[in-house]
Every structure is written in C-alpha cells, then in structure tokens.
Amino acid sequence: MSAASALNPEEAADLLLRDLRSGPEGLSTREARRRLLQHGPNTLRRRQRRRWPTELAHQFTHPLALLLWLAAGLLLIVGSHVIAAAVISIIGLNA
C-alpha cells in the first residue's frame, strides 16, 4: 500500500491544499493576481476541429482497417463472400 493511500481523505485534502499553496476558501486575491501574471489566464485553447468527412476517411485508412480490407480482399479471392461481407461490415461499423 502506498503512502498516499494510507492517508484519510481529510489529511490528503490538507496535503493537497498545502502543495497548491491554497486554503479551503481558495486563493487570496493577491495570490490569484500573482499566478495570473506568472502563468497567464486559466483558459483552454481550442484545437483545430477536424471535419467529419476527413475523420471518416481516417477511420477507413487506419492501419488495422487496412489489414481488414486486405483480409476481405483475400476472402473474396478464395470465394468466401459471406465472410468477406462480414469483415467489410465490421470495417463500416468501426468507422
């Protein structure tokens, strides 16, 4: 058992607040201003969104999907049309 899991929840919360240099009521105004100057605003940056057709194309050309496409092609060559259709439907469901 690790040392952190041996603590009761109140002790763990107290240690966390100590490590964050905060208190149960939050940061003081002075500390909040200092952190704003040091680290900048607490905002998330949006990542560029992929368009759904591009994402769908990525799903069909993923390395494991390509392996399944190969398997489906080989199944068609050997005449296992039902299993090939099942593999192709699995690719579609995964995408």
Side-chain angles (χ1 to χ4, degrees):
M1 190 156 62
S2 69
S5 62
L7 298 175
N8 69 33
E10 289 82 21
E11 289 175 345
D14 289 340
L15 288 174
L16 177 63
L17 289 173
R18 184 197 70 198
D19 290 344
L20 294 174
R21 287 184 259 136
S22 183
E25 58 282 335
L27 296 175
S28 67
T29 304
R30 182 178 179 181
E31 180 63 14
R33 271 196 220 112
R34 186 190 70 75
R35 290 184 186 193
L36 180 62
L37 288 172
Q38 184 178 3
H39 301 289
N42 187 15
T43 58
L44 296 175
R45 284 182 257 148
R46 281 211 132 130
R47 294 189 313 175
Q48 184 179 0
R49 298 183 80 191
R50 288 185 172 172
R51 300 203 192 296
W52 71 266
T54 306
E55 187 63 35
L56 187 61
H58 283 289
Q59 291 296 320
F60 283 114
T61 58
H62 186 275
L64 291 177
L66 293 175
L67 186 62
L68 287 174
W69 283 114
L70 177 66
L74 292 174
L75 286 165
L76 286 172
I77 290 171
V78 298
S80 296
H81 300 288
V82 174
I83 298 174
V87 170
I88 291 171
S89 65
I90 289 170
I91 296 169
L93 286 172
N94 181 56

